[in-house]
Amino acid sequence: MSDQQETTTNTNQPRLCKMGCGFFGSNATGDYCSKCFRQLDDRQKKSVEKSPEPVTPAVVEAVETPSAPKPEAST
């Protein structure tokens, strides 16, 4: 039973931010501190805004055009 207690206490240990800033990260922010997470989130939003929208094929309606009279076959 003491093994279980040691395992659960190890997961509760604070982790340093992934960006290496020296602050502690959180599981809720992917092990980033709040400041680095906000900066990362802002960068991702800006890159999404800059990316072009996907090109969708335009719907082409069939338009009837008068056709030239067909030549008659000579027999």
mmCIF file of all heavy atoms in Angstrom, residues 14-70:
data_model
loop_
_atom_site.group_PDB
_atom_site.id
_atom_site.type_symbol
_atom_site.label_atom_id
_atom_site.label_comp_id
_atom_site.label_asym_id
_atom_site.label_seq_id
_atom_site.Cartn_x
_atom_site.Cartn_y
_atom_site.Cartn_z
ATOM 1 N N PRO A 14 4.978 19.276 -8.309
ATOM 2 C CA PRO A 14 4.938 20.343 -9.306
ATOM 3 C C PRO A 14 6.021 20.150 -10.362
ATOM 4 O O PRO A 14 7.114 19.668 -10.070
ATOM 5 C CB PRO A 14 5.190 21.614 -8.493
ATOM 6 C CG PRO A 14 5.725 21.170 -7.186
ATOM 7 C CD PRO A 14 5.354 19.737 -6.991
ATOM 8 N N ARG A 15 5.683 20.494 -11.591
ATOM 9 C CA ARG A 15 6.624 20.374 -12.701
ATOM 10 C C ARG A 15 6.969 21.767 -13.201
ATOM 11 O O ARG A 15 6.124 22.653 -13.238
ATOM 12 C CB ARG A 15 6.000 19.583 -13.845
ATOM 13 C CG ARG A 15 5.729 18.155 -13.502
ATOM 14 C CD ARG A 15 5.171 17.444 -14.712
ATOM 15 N NE ARG A 15 4.879 16.064 -14.372
ATOM 16 C CZ ARG A 15 4.142 15.273 -15.099
ATOM 17 N NH1 ARG A 15 3.600 15.721 -16.205
ATOM 18 N NH2 ARG A 15 3.929 14.036 -14.732
ATOM 19 N N LEU A 16 8.192 21.905 -13.641
ATOM 20 C CA LEU A 16 8.593 23.177 -14.216
ATOM 21 C C LEU A 16 7.956 23.337 -15.587
ATOM 22 O O LEU A 16 7.667 22.358 -16.275
ATOM 23 C CB LEU A 16 10.112 23.262 -14.330
ATOM 24 C CG LEU A 16 10.859 23.384 -12.997
ATOM 25 C CD1 LEU A 16 12.360 23.354 -13.242
ATOM 26 C CD2 LEU A 16 10.469 24.674 -12.286
ATOM 27 N N CYS A 17 7.747 24.567 -15.979
ATOM 28 C CA CYS A 17 7.144 24.901 -17.272
ATOM 29 C C CYS A 17 7.978 24.314 -18.400
ATOM 30 O O CYS A 17 9.208 24.317 -18.359
ATOM 31 C CB CYS A 17 7.064 26.423 -17.403
ATOM 32 S SG CYS A 17 6.450 26.993 -18.984
ATOM 33 N N LYS A 18 7.301 23.814 -19.440
ATOM 34 C CA LYS A 18 7.985 23.229 -20.595
ATOM 35 C C LYS A 18 8.859 24.237 -21.334
ATOM 36 O O LYS A 18 9.796 23.864 -22.009
ATOM 37 C CB LYS A 18 6.961 22.677 -21.590
ATOM 38 C CG LYS A 18 6.345 21.377 -21.219
ATOM 39 C CD LYS A 18 5.430 20.940 -22.354
ATOM 40 C CE LYS A 18 4.844 19.584 -22.102
ATOM 41 N NZ LYS A 18 3.969 19.176 -23.220
ATOM 42 N N MET A 19 8.529 25.512 -21.229
ATOM 43 C CA MET A 19 9.278 26.538 -21.949
ATOM 44 C C MET A 19 10.587 26.882 -21.239
ATOM 45 O O MET A 19 11.407 27.600 -21.775
ATOM 46 C CB MET A 19 8.433 27.809 -22.100
ATOM 47 C CG MET A 19 7.177 27.608 -22.923
ATOM 48 S SD MET A 19 7.490 27.191 -24.633
ATOM 49 C CE MET A 19 7.814 28.804 -25.281
ATOM 50 N N GLY A 20 10.760 26.373 -20.023
ATOM 51 C CA GLY A 20 12.005 26.603 -19.296
ATOM 52 C C GLY A 20 12.109 27.983 -18.668
ATOM 53 O O GLY A 20 13.207 28.469 -18.409
ATOM 54 N N CYS A 21 10.975 28.619 -18.416
ATOM 55 C CA CYS A 21 11.003 29.969 -17.857
ATOM 56 C C CYS A 21 11.305 29.980 -16.365
ATOM 57 O O CYS A 21 11.654 31.016 -15.819
ATOM 58 C CB CYS A 21 9.673 30.669 -18.127
ATOM 59 S SG CYS A 21 8.283 29.916 -17.264
ATOM 60 N N GLY A 22 11.159 28.837 -15.706
ATOM 61 C CA GLY A 22 11.443 28.767 -14.276
ATOM 62 C C GLY A 22 10.196 28.703 -13.417
ATOM 63 O O GLY A 22 10.275 28.392 -12.232
ATOM 64 N N PHE A 23 9.037 29.002 -13.990
ATOM 65 C CA PHE A 23 7.792 28.896 -13.242
ATOM 66 C C PHE A 23 7.281 27.466 -13.336
ATOM 67 O O PHE A 23 7.775 26.669 -14.123
ATOM 68 C CB PHE A 23 6.742 29.862 -13.802
ATOM 69 C CG PHE A 23 7.039 31.298 -13.504
ATOM 70 C CD1 PHE A 23 7.557 32.116 -14.497
ATOM 71 C CD2 PHE A 23 6.814 31.839 -12.248
ATOM 72 C CE1 PHE A 23 7.847 33.441 -14.240
ATOM 73 C CE2 PHE A 23 7.098 33.156 -11.982
ATOM 74 C CZ PHE A 23 7.624 33.957 -12.972
ATOM 75 N N PHE A 24 6.273 27.163 -12.528
ATOM 76 C CA PHE A 24 5.716 25.826 -12.523
ATOM 77 C C PHE A 24 4.559 25.717 -13.498
ATOM 78 O O PHE A 24 3.755 26.636 -13.644
ATOM 79 C CB PHE A 24 5.243 25.438 -11.113
ATOM 80 C CG PHE A 24 6.390 25.229 -10.160
ATOM 81 C CD1 PHE A 24 6.685 26.172 -9.191
ATOM 82 C CD2 PHE A 24 7.178 24.097 -10.244
ATOM 83 C CE1 PHE A 24 7.748 25.987 -8.325
ATOM 84 C CE2 PHE A 24 8.244 23.898 -9.381
ATOM 85 C CZ PHE A 24 8.524 24.858 -8.419
ATOM 86 N N GLY A 25 4.497 24.568 -14.181
ATOM 87 C CA GLY A 25 3.426 24.304 -15.133
ATOM 88 C C GLY A 25 2.259 23.616 -14.466
ATOM 89 O O GLY A 25 2.306 23.244 -13.298
ATOM 90 N N SER A 26 1.203 23.457 -15.220
ATOM 91 C CA SER A 26 -0.012 22.826 -14.728
ATOM 92 C C SER A 26 -0.473 21.777 -15.727
ATOM 93 O O SER A 26 -0.258 21.922 -16.931
ATOM 94 C CB SER A 26 -1.105 23.900 -14.568
ATOM 95 O OG SER A 26 -2.362 23.305 -14.397
ATOM 96 N N ASN A 27 -1.098 20.718 -15.232
ATOM 97 C CA ASN A 27 -1.649 19.697 -16.125
ATOM 98 C C ASN A 27 -2.717 20.297 -17.035
ATOM 99 O O ASN A 27 -2.847 19.914 -18.183
ATOM 100 C CB ASN A 27 -2.262 18.551 -15.327
ATOM 101 C CG ASN A 27 -1.209 17.647 -14.729
ATOM 102 O OD1 ASN A 27 -0.075 17.618 -15.192
ATOM 103 N ND2 ASN A 27 -1.584 16.921 -13.699
ATOM 104 N N ALA A 28 -3.472 21.261 -16.524
ATOM 105 C CA ALA A 28 -4.545 21.874 -17.290
ATOM 106 C C ALA A 28 -4.026 22.656 -18.487
ATOM 107 O O ALA A 28 -4.728 22.828 -19.478
ATOM 108 C CB ALA A 28 -5.369 22.792 -16.390
ATOM 109 N N THR A 29 -2.789 23.132 -18.416
ATOM 110 C CA THR A 29 -2.213 23.924 -19.508
ATOM 111 C C THR A 29 -1.112 23.166 -20.232
ATOM 112 O O THR A 29 -0.276 23.770 -20.902
ATOM 113 C CB THR A 29 -1.657 25.253 -18.967
ATOM 114 O OG1 THR A 29 -0.678 24.973 -17.961
ATOM 115 C CG2 THR A 29 -2.751 26.124 -18.393
ATOM 116 N N GLY A 30 -1.118 21.848 -20.121
ATOM 117 C CA GLY A 30 -0.130 21.033 -20.825
ATOM 118 C C GLY A 30 1.276 21.193 -20.273
ATOM 119 O O GLY A 30 2.246 21.144 -21.021
ATOM 120 N N ASP A 31 1.398 21.410 -18.991
ATOM 121 C CA ASP A 31 2.674 21.592 -18.283
ATOM 122 C C ASP A 31 3.379 22.897 -18.639
ATOM 123 O O ASP A 31 4.584 23.015 -18.531
ATOM 124 C CB ASP A 31 3.618 20.397 -18.488
ATOM 125 C CG ASP A 31 3.081 19.133 -17.821
ATOM 126 O OD1 ASP A 31 2.389 19.247 -16.798
ATOM 127 O OD2 ASP A 31 3.351 18.043 -18.335
ATOM 128 N N TYR A 32 2.608 23.900 -19.098
ATOM 129 C CA TYR A 32 3.131 25.250 -19.282
ATOM 130 C C TYR A 32 2.643 26.098 -18.116
ATOM 131 O O TYR A 32 1.587 25.836 -17.546
ATOM 132 C CB TYR A 32 2.599 25.879 -20.577
ATOM 133 C CG TYR A 32 3.091 25.210 -21.834
ATOM 134 C CD1 TYR A 32 2.290 24.322 -22.528
ATOM 135 C CD2 TYR A 32 4.357 25.479 -22.332
ATOM 136 C CE1 TYR A 32 2.741 23.708 -23.684
ATOM 137 C CE2 TYR A 32 4.814 24.872 -23.492
ATOM 138 C CZ TYR A 32 4.006 23.990 -24.155
ATOM 139 O OH TYR A 32 4.457 23.388 -25.298
ATOM 140 N N CYS A 33 3.393 27.137 -17.776
ATOM 141 C CA CYS A 33 2.899 28.085 -16.785
ATOM 142 C C CYS A 33 1.829 28.934 -17.469
ATOM 143 O O CYS A 33 1.688 28.905 -18.696
ATOM 144 C CB CYS A 33 4.029 28.968 -16.242
ATOM 145 S SG CYS A 33 4.675 30.157 -17.427
ATOM 146 N N SER A 34 1.076 29.689 -16.716
ATOM 147 C CA SER A 34 -0.026 30.454 -17.302
ATOM 148 C C SER A 34 0.466 31.481 -18.313
ATOM 149 O O SER A 34 -0.156 31.703 -19.349
ATOM 150 C CB SER A 34 -0.852 31.130 -16.214
ATOM 151 O OG SER A 34 -0.032 32.012 -15.463
ATOM 152 N N LYS A 35 1.594 32.104 -18.043
ATOM 153 C CA LYS A 35 2.122 33.133 -18.943
ATOM 154 C C LYS A 35 2.554 32.513 -20.285
ATOM 155 O O LYS A 35 2.184 33.002 -21.353
ATOM 156 C CB LYS A 35 3.307 33.835 -18.295
ATOM 157 C CG LYS A 35 3.888 34.936 -19.138
ATOM 158 C CD LYS A 35 5.051 35.602 -18.439
ATOM 159 C CE LYS A 35 5.692 36.656 -19.331
ATOM 160 N NZ LYS A 35 6.855 37.264 -18.719
ATOM 161 N N CYS A 36 3.334 31.444 -20.239
ATOM 162 C CA CYS A 36 3.800 30.794 -21.467
ATOM 163 C C CYS A 36 2.645 30.172 -22.235
ATOM 164 O O CYS A 36 2.616 30.200 -23.457
ATOM 165 C CB CYS A 36 4.862 29.748 -21.151
ATOM 166 S SG CYS A 36 6.408 30.464 -20.541
ATOM 167 N N PHE A 37 1.675 29.626 -21.525
ATOM 168 C CA PHE A 37 0.518 29.032 -22.184
ATOM 169 C C PHE A 37 -0.266 30.095 -22.940
ATOM 170 O O PHE A 37 -0.687 29.888 -24.071
ATOM 171 C CB PHE A 37 -0.390 28.333 -21.163
ATOM 172 C CG PHE A 37 -1.596 27.692 -21.781
ATOM 173 C CD1 PHE A 37 -1.494 26.501 -22.479
ATOM 174 C CD2 PHE A 37 -2.843 28.288 -21.660
ATOM 175 C CE1 PHE A 37 -2.607 25.913 -23.057
ATOM 176 C CE2 PHE A 37 -3.961 27.707 -22.243
ATOM 177 C CZ PHE A 37 -3.838 26.518 -22.936
ATOM 178 N N ARG A 38 -0.440 31.262 -22.334
ATOM 179 C CA ARG A 38 -1.155 32.356 -22.983
ATOM 180 C C ARG A 38 -0.409 32.817 -24.236
ATOM 181 O O ARG A 38 -1.013 33.042 -25.279
ATOM 182 C CB ARG A 38 -1.322 33.533 -22.018
ATOM 183 C CG ARG A 38 -2.263 34.586 -22.525
ATOM 184 C CD ARG A 38 -2.512 35.710 -21.527
ATOM 185 N NE ARG A 38 -2.732 35.257 -20.175
ATOM 186 C CZ ARG A 38 -1.918 35.527 -19.138
ATOM 187 N NH1 ARG A 38 -0.844 36.258 -19.306
ATOM 188 N NH2 ARG A 38 -2.187 35.073 -17.937
ATOM 189 N N GLN A 39 0.918 32.926 -24.135
ATOM 190 C CA GLN A 39 1.716 33.329 -25.297
ATOM 191 C C GLN A 39 1.601 32.289 -26.422
ATOM 192 O O GLN A 39 1.446 32.645 -27.590
ATOM 193 C CB GLN A 39 3.191 33.501 -24.910
ATOM 194 C CG GLN A 39 3.452 34.724 -24.072
ATOM 195 C CD GLN A 39 4.905 34.795 -23.617
ATOM 196 O OE1 GLN A 39 5.655 33.834 -23.750
ATOM 197 N NE2 GLN A 39 5.293 35.932 -23.062
ATOM 198 N N LEU A 40 1.672 31.033 -26.066
ATOM 199 C CA LEU A 40 1.560 29.958 -27.046
ATOM 200 C C LEU A 40 0.179 29.971 -27.698
ATOM 201 O O LEU A 40 0.052 29.837 -28.908
ATOM 202 C CB LEU A 40 1.826 28.615 -26.366
ATOM 203 C CG LEU A 40 1.805 27.382 -27.236
ATOM 204 C CD1 LEU A 40 2.985 27.394 -28.191
ATOM 205 C CD2 LEU A 40 1.848 26.137 -26.375
ATOM 206 N N ASP A 41 -0.845 30.168 -26.895
ATOM 207 C CA ASP A 41 -2.214 30.198 -27.391
ATOM 208 C C ASP A 41 -2.411 31.389 -28.339
ATOM 209 O O ASP A 41 -3.026 31.249 -29.392
ATOM 210 C CB ASP A 41 -3.191 30.280 -26.218
ATOM 211 C CG ASP A 41 -4.624 30.038 -26.631
ATOM 212 O OD1 ASP A 41 -4.875 29.093 -27.384
ATOM 213 O OD2 ASP A 41 -5.491 30.817 -26.184
ATOM 214 N N ASP A 42 -1.858 32.540 -27.987
ATOM 215 C CA ASP A 42 -1.959 33.725 -28.858
ATOM 216 C C ASP A 42 -1.270 33.472 -30.192
ATOM 217 O O ASP A 42 -1.781 33.852 -31.243
ATOM 218 C CB ASP A 42 -1.353 34.953 -28.177
ATOM 219 C CG ASP A 42 -2.212 35.478 -27.040
ATOM 220 O OD1 ASP A 42 -3.407 35.105 -26.969
ATOM 221 O OD2 ASP A 42 -1.687 36.251 -26.213
ATOM 222 N N ARG A 43 -0.098 32.847 -30.170
ATOM 223 C CA ARG A 43 0.635 32.553 -31.408
ATOM 224 C C ARG A 43 -0.163 31.612 -32.299
ATOM 225 O O ARG A 43 -0.201 31.774 -33.509
ATOM 226 C CB ARG A 43 1.992 31.933 -31.105
ATOM 227 C CG ARG A 43 3.031 32.961 -30.741
ATOM 228 C CD ARG A 43 4.403 32.315 -30.686
ATOM 229 N NE ARG A 43 5.012 32.702 -29.431
ATOM 230 C CZ ARG A 43 5.740 31.930 -28.654
ATOM 231 N NH1 ARG A 43 5.983 30.689 -29.000
ATOM 232 N NH2 ARG A 43 6.240 32.373 -27.533
ATOM 233 N N GLN A 44 -0.787 30.608 -31.689
ATOM 234 C CA GLN A 44 -1.561 29.645 -32.472
ATOM 235 C C GLN A 44 -2.778 30.318 -33.096
ATOM 236 O O GLN A 44 -3.121 30.051 -34.245
ATOM 237 C CB GLN A 44 -1.996 28.468 -31.607
ATOM 238 C CG GLN A 44 -0.856 27.541 -31.267
ATOM 239 C CD GLN A 44 -1.274 26.423 -30.325
ATOM 240 O OE1 GLN A 44 -2.328 26.489 -29.701
ATOM 241 N NE2 GLN A 44 -0.439 25.405 -30.213
ATOM 242 N N LYS A 45 -3.425 31.210 -32.360
ATOM 243 C CA LYS A 45 -4.591 31.908 -32.898
ATOM 244 C C LYS A 45 -4.191 32.805 -34.056
ATOM 245 O O LYS A 45 -4.885 32.888 -35.056
ATOM 246 C CB LYS A 45 -5.271 32.736 -31.808
ATOM 247 C CG LYS A 45 -6.046 31.903 -30.819
ATOM 248 C CD LYS A 45 -6.674 32.766 -29.758
ATOM 249 C CE LYS A 45 -7.387 31.914 -28.724
ATOM 250 N NZ LYS A 45 -7.934 32.724 -27.627
ATOM 251 N N LYS A 46 -3.044 33.473 -33.943
ATOM 252 C CA LYS A 46 -2.584 34.350 -35.014
ATOM 253 C C LYS A 46 -2.238 33.551 -36.260
ATOM 254 O O LYS A 46 -2.505 33.980 -37.375
ATOM 255 C CB LYS A 46 -1.369 35.169 -34.562
ATOM 256 C CG LYS A 46 -1.734 36.276 -33.609
ATOM 257 C CD LYS A 46 -0.520 37.061 -33.184
ATOM 258 C CE LYS A 46 -0.888 38.117 -32.162
ATOM 259 N NZ LYS A 46 0.279 38.855 -31.689
ATOM 260 N N SER A 47 -1.637 32.388 -36.093
ATOM 261 C CA SER A 47 -1.274 31.578 -37.257
ATOM 262 C C SER A 47 -2.522 31.045 -37.949
ATOM 263 O O SER A 47 -2.547 30.907 -39.170
ATOM 264 C CB SER A 47 -0.345 30.439 -36.872
ATOM 265 O OG SER A 47 -1.022 29.486 -36.086
ATOM 266 N N VAL A 48 -3.559 30.780 -37.204
ATOM 267 C CA VAL A 48 -4.816 30.314 -37.798
ATOM 268 C C VAL A 48 -5.459 31.461 -38.565
ATOM 269 O O VAL A 48 -5.992 31.265 -39.649
ATOM 270 C CB VAL A 48 -5.782 29.772 -36.711
ATOM 271 C CG1 VAL A 48 -7.169 29.565 -37.262
ATOM 272 C CG2 VAL A 48 -5.242 28.484 -36.127
ATOM 273 N N GLU A 49 -5.390 32.679 -38.026
ATOM 274 C CA GLU A 49 -5.978 33.834 -38.699
ATOM 275 C C GLU A 49 -5.243 34.139 -40.000
ATOM 276 O O GLU A 49 -5.840 34.558 -40.970
ATOM 277 C CB GLU A 49 -5.938 35.061 -37.793
ATOM 278 C CG GLU A 49 -6.880 34.976 -36.616
ATOM 279 C CD GLU A 49 -6.682 36.110 -35.623
ATOM 280 O OE1 GLU A 49 -5.822 36.985 -35.865
ATOM 281 O OE2 GLU A 49 -7.386 36.117 -34.601
ATOM 282 N N LYS A 50 -3.940 33.924 -40.043
ATOM 283 C CA LYS A 50 -3.146 34.238 -41.219
ATOM 284 C C LYS A 50 -3.275 33.186 -42.309
ATOM 285 O O LYS A 50 -3.042 33.468 -43.471
ATOM 286 C CB LYS A 50 -1.663 34.382 -40.845
ATOM 287 C CG LYS A 50 -1.377 35.634 -40.066
ATOM 288 C CD LYS A 50 0.091 35.752 -39.778
ATOM 289 C CE LYS A 50 0.403 36.998 -38.984
ATOM 290 N NZ LYS A 50 1.838 37.111 -38.707
ATOM 291 N N SER A 51 -3.624 31.966 -41.942
ATOM 292 C CA SER A 51 -3.700 30.901 -42.936
ATOM 293 C C SER A 51 -4.890 31.151 -43.852
ATOM 294 O O SER A 51 -5.949 31.567 -43.413
ATOM 295 C CB SER A 51 -3.815 29.531 -42.273
ATOM 296 O OG SER A 51 -5.023 29.436 -41.570
ATOM 297 N N PRO A 52 -4.706 30.918 -45.132
ATOM 298 C CA PRO A 52 -5.801 31.156 -46.071
ATOM 299 C C PRO A 52 -6.933 30.169 -45.852
ATOM 300 O O PRO A 52 -6.723 29.052 -45.398
ATOM 301 C CB PRO A 52 -5.154 30.938 -47.439
ATOM 302 C CG PRO A 52 -3.996 30.057 -47.168
ATOM 303 C CD PRO A 52 -3.532 30.388 -45.770
ATOM 304 N N GLU A 53 -8.121 30.617 -46.195
ATOM 305 C CA GLU A 53 -9.269 29.733 -46.056
ATOM 306 C C GLU A 53 -9.196 28.659 -47.132
ATOM 307 O O GLU A 53 -8.690 28.899 -48.216
ATOM 308 C CB GLU A 53 -10.559 30.536 -46.205
ATOM 309 C CG GLU A 53 -10.775 31.478 -45.047
ATOM 310 C CD GLU A 53 -12.157 32.108 -45.094
ATOM 311 O OE1 GLU A 53 -13.087 31.488 -45.638
ATOM 312 O OE2 GLU A 53 -12.280 33.217 -44.586
ATOM 313 N N PRO A 54 -9.682 27.490 -46.820
ATOM 314 C CA PRO A 54 -9.630 26.417 -47.819
ATOM 315 C C PRO A 54 -10.440 26.801 -49.050
ATOM 316 O O PRO A 54 -11.487 27.413 -48.959
ATOM 317 C CB PRO A 54 -10.248 25.219 -47.102
ATOM 318 C CG PRO A 54 -10.967 25.770 -45.935
ATOM 319 C CD PRO A 54 -10.324 27.083 -45.604
ATOM 320 N N VAL A 55 -9.910 26.445 -50.187
ATOM 321 C CA VAL A 55 -10.572 26.750 -51.441
ATOM 322 C C VAL A 55 -11.609 25.679 -51.704
ATOM 323 O O VAL A 55 -11.308 24.497 -51.697
ATOM 324 C CB VAL A 55 -9.541 26.796 -52.591
ATOM 325 C CG1 VAL A 55 -10.239 27.058 -53.920
ATOM 326 C CG2 VAL A 55 -8.480 27.820 -52.310
ATOM 327 N N THR A 56 -12.825 26.130 -51.905
ATOM 328 C CA THR A 56 -13.890 25.186 -52.211
ATOM 329 C C THR A 56 -14.272 25.357 -53.666
ATOM 330 O O THR A 56 -14.320 26.476 -54.172
ATOM 331 C CB THR A 56 -15.123 25.426 -51.320
ATOM 332 O OG1 THR A 56 -15.539 26.782 -51.491
ATOM 333 C CG2 THR A 56 -14.804 25.172 -49.869
ATOM 334 N N PRO A 57 -14.531 24.274 -54.334
ATOM 335 C CA PRO A 57 -14.893 24.395 -55.747
ATOM 336 C C PRO A 57 -16.222 25.136 -55.888
ATOM 337 O O PRO A 57 -17.148 24.912 -55.127
ATOM 338 C CB PRO A 57 -15.003 22.956 -56.225
ATOM 339 C CG PRO A 57 -15.107 22.133 -55.009
ATOM 340 C CD PRO A 57 -14.508 22.926 -53.880
ATOM 341 N N ALA A 58 -16.280 26.019 -56.838
ATOM 342 C CA ALA A 58 -17.505 26.775 -57.080
ATOM 343 C C ALA A 58 -18.533 25.872 -57.739
ATOM 344 O O ALA A 58 -18.201 24.987 -58.521
ATOM 345 C CB ALA A 58 -17.208 27.970 -57.964
ATOM 346 N N VAL A 59 -19.751 26.117 -57.419
ATOM 347 C CA VAL A 59 -20.824 25.343 -58.032
ATOM 348 C C VAL A 59 -21.107 25.969 -59.385
ATOM 349 O O VAL A 59 -21.394 27.151 -59.504
ATOM 350 C CB VAL A 59 -22.083 25.365 -57.142
ATOM 351 C CG1 VAL A 59 -23.230 24.639 -57.824
ATOM 352 C CG2 VAL A 59 -21.773 24.767 -55.796
ATOM 353 N N VAL A 60 -21.000 25.173 -60.410
ATOM 354 C CA VAL A 60 -21.235 25.649 -61.766
ATOM 355 C C VAL A 60 -22.588 25.139 -62.204
ATOM 356 O O VAL A 60 -22.842 23.941 -62.213
ATOM 357 C CB VAL A 60 -20.137 25.152 -62.732
ATOM 358 C CG1 VAL A 60 -20.413 25.637 -64.146
ATOM 359 C CG2 VAL A 60 -18.785 25.586 -62.245
ATOM 360 N N GLU A 61 -23.439 26.084 -62.548
ATOM 361 C CA GLU A 61 -24.766 25.693 -62.998
ATOM 362 C C GLU A 61 -24.717 25.421 -64.494
ATOM 363 O O GLU A 61 -24.023 26.098 -65.244
ATOM 364 C CB GLU A 61 -25.775 26.797 -62.713
ATOM 365 C CG GLU A 61 -25.989 27.021 -61.237
ATOM 366 C CD GLU A 61 -27.022 28.095 -60.979
ATOM 367 O OE1 GLU A 61 -27.832 28.378 -61.888
ATOM 368 O OE2 GLU A 61 -27.009 28.640 -59.885
ATOM 369 N N ALA A 62 -25.470 24.438 -64.908
ATOM 370 C CA ALA A 62 -25.544 24.133 -66.335
ATOM 371 C C ALA A 62 -26.395 25.199 -66.997
ATOM 372 O O ALA A 62 -27.510 25.468 -66.585
ATOM 373 C CB ALA A 62 -26.151 22.761 -66.545
ATOM 374 N N VAL A 63 -25.831 25.845 -67.989
ATOM 375 C CA VAL A 63 -26.549 26.889 -68.699
ATOM 376 C C VAL A 63 -26.776 26.406 -70.123
ATOM 377 O O VAL A 63 -25.844 25.985 -70.798
ATOM 378 C CB VAL A 63 -25.725 28.204 -68.711
ATOM 379 C CG1 VAL A 63 -26.441 29.273 -69.510
ATOM 380 C CG2 VAL A 63 -25.438 28.651 -67.303
ATOM 381 N N GLU A 64 -28.028 26.470 -70.560
ATOM 382 C CA GLU A 64 -28.330 26.041 -71.922
ATOM 383 C C GLU A 64 -27.921 27.144 -72.875
ATOM 384 O O GLU A 64 -28.281 28.294 -72.701
ATOM 385 C CB GLU A 64 -29.812 25.741 -72.069
ATOM 386 C CG GLU A 64 -30.203 24.411 -71.500
ATOM 387 C CD GLU A 64 -31.631 24.043 -71.885
ATOM 388 O OE1 GLU A 64 -32.049 24.285 -73.029
ATOM 389 O OE2 GLU A 64 -32.295 23.507 -71.006
ATOM 390 N N THR A 65 -27.145 26.779 -73.848
ATOM 391 C CA THR A 65 -26.764 27.736 -74.886
ATOM 392 C C THR A 65 -27.332 27.249 -76.189
ATOM 393 O O THR A 65 -27.379 26.035 -76.456
ATOM 394 C CB THR A 65 -25.234 27.850 -74.993
ATOM 395 O OG1 THR A 65 -24.693 26.569 -75.248
ATOM 396 C CG2 THR A 65 -24.629 28.418 -73.738
ATOM 397 N N PRO A 66 -27.769 28.163 -76.997
ATOM 398 C CA PRO A 66 -28.308 27.710 -78.279
ATOM 399 C C PRO A 66 -27.199 27.064 -79.092
ATOM 400 O O PRO A 66 -26.096 27.578 -79.169
ATOM 401 C CB PRO A 66 -28.817 28.986 -78.944
ATOM 402 C CG PRO A 66 -28.259 30.115 -78.158
ATOM 403 C CD PRO A 66 -27.824 29.583 -76.834
ATOM 404 N N SER A 67 -27.495 25.922 -79.602
ATOM 405 C CA SER A 67 -26.479 25.217 -80.380
ATOM 406 C C SER A 67 -26.682 25.496 -81.858
ATOM 407 O O SER A 67 -27.790 25.800 -82.307
ATOM 408 C CB SER A 67 -26.532 23.717 -80.102
ATOM 409 O OG SER A 67 -27.818 23.227 -80.402
ATOM 410 N N ALA A 68 -25.635 25.398 -82.583
ATOM 411 C CA ALA A 68 -25.704 25.613 -84.039
ATOM 412 C C ALA A 68 -26.475 24.463 -84.651
ATOM 413 O O ALA A 68 -26.429 23.336 -84.171
ATOM 414 C CB ALA A 68 -24.297 25.688 -84.608
ATOM 415 N N PRO A 69 -27.189 24.740 -85.724
ATOM 416 C CA PRO A 69 -27.929 23.642 -86.353
ATOM 417 C C PRO A 69 -26.987 22.575 -86.874
ATOM 418 O O PRO A 69 -25.910 22.864 -87.369
ATOM 419 C CB PRO A 69 -28.681 24.318 -87.506
ATOM 420 C CG PRO A 69 -28.138 25.698 -87.610
ATOM 421 C CD PRO A 69 -27.355 25.983 -86.388
ATOM 422 N N LYS A 70 -27.376 21.359 -86.682
ATOM 423 C CA LYS A 70 -26.550 20.227 -87.106
ATOM 424 C C LYS A 70 -26.655 20.080 -88.613
ATOM 425 O O LYS A 70 -27.740 20.182 -89.175
ATOM 426 C CB LYS A 70 -26.993 18.937 -86.405
ATOM 427 C CG LYS A 70 -26.787 18.978 -84.912
ATOM 428 C CD LYS A 70 -27.224 17.685 -84.292
ATOM 429 C CE LYS A 70 -27.092 17.747 -82.791
ATOM 430 N NZ LYS A 70 -27.568 16.543 -82.158
#
